[in-house]
Amino acid sequence: MFVDIEDAFDSMWPPAVPCNLKDLDTPQQIWEIIRDYFSERKVVVEGTGENKRSYNTAKGIPLGPPLWDIAIQPCLEELDQRGDVCGGVAFADDVANVTSGNSRNQIEVRAGAILCALDDWCS
């Protein structure tokens, strides 16, 4: 089953990547660089009077796909531990999961559980 997560990187929780890198025993210098990469990435436009707007500039960055893979890794691991997935992989904003069952109904139930878990994780 293939799932395309719309605006995956642009809408993810930015601390997810450095937190997950830390949990994966990545050297401190690496996850600190990534953490800093996500902090204060905005443009502030000031006008006259009270007009002031901030815009996030992290959208469309070249590191988006591999950083998204790091962010979604705990979700894939959780699916694997639940037994609904025989294998799962993510790249960019796409997630591919393989499930099996003894009947069409069992496969549909497991696929539904995968979709619910992905939806919960993305919310």
Side-chain angles (χ1 to χ4, degrees), residues 51-97:
N51 297 330
K52 183 176 180 179
R53 294 194 182 233
S54 294
Y55 300 94
N56 185 351
T57 59
K59 294 185 177 195
I61 63 172
L63 285 175
L67 294 178
W68 168 252
D69 290 351
I70 293 167
I72 199 168
Q73 186 61 35
C75 179
L76 296 177
E77 289 174 2
E78 179 185 324
L79 287 171
D80 189 46
Q81 290 172 359
R82 288 174 36 167
D84 293 323
V85 177
C86 298
V89 66
F91 181 74
D93 61 351
D94 299 313
V95 178
N97 290 298

Side-chain angles (χ1 to χ4, degrees), residues 9-10 12 14-15 17-18 32-45 53-64 67:
F9 183 77
D10 295 339
M12 77 175 190
V17 175
E32 284 179 350
I33 288 169
I34 299 298
R35 181 198 62 208
D36 291 346
Y37 185 78
F38 280 102
S39 64
E40 302 301 323
R41 294 187 57 86
K42 60 184 167 185
V43 174
V44 177
V45 179
R53 294 194 182 233
S54 294
Y55 300 94
N56 185 351
T57 59
K59 294 185 177 195
I61 63 172
L63 285 175
L67 294 178

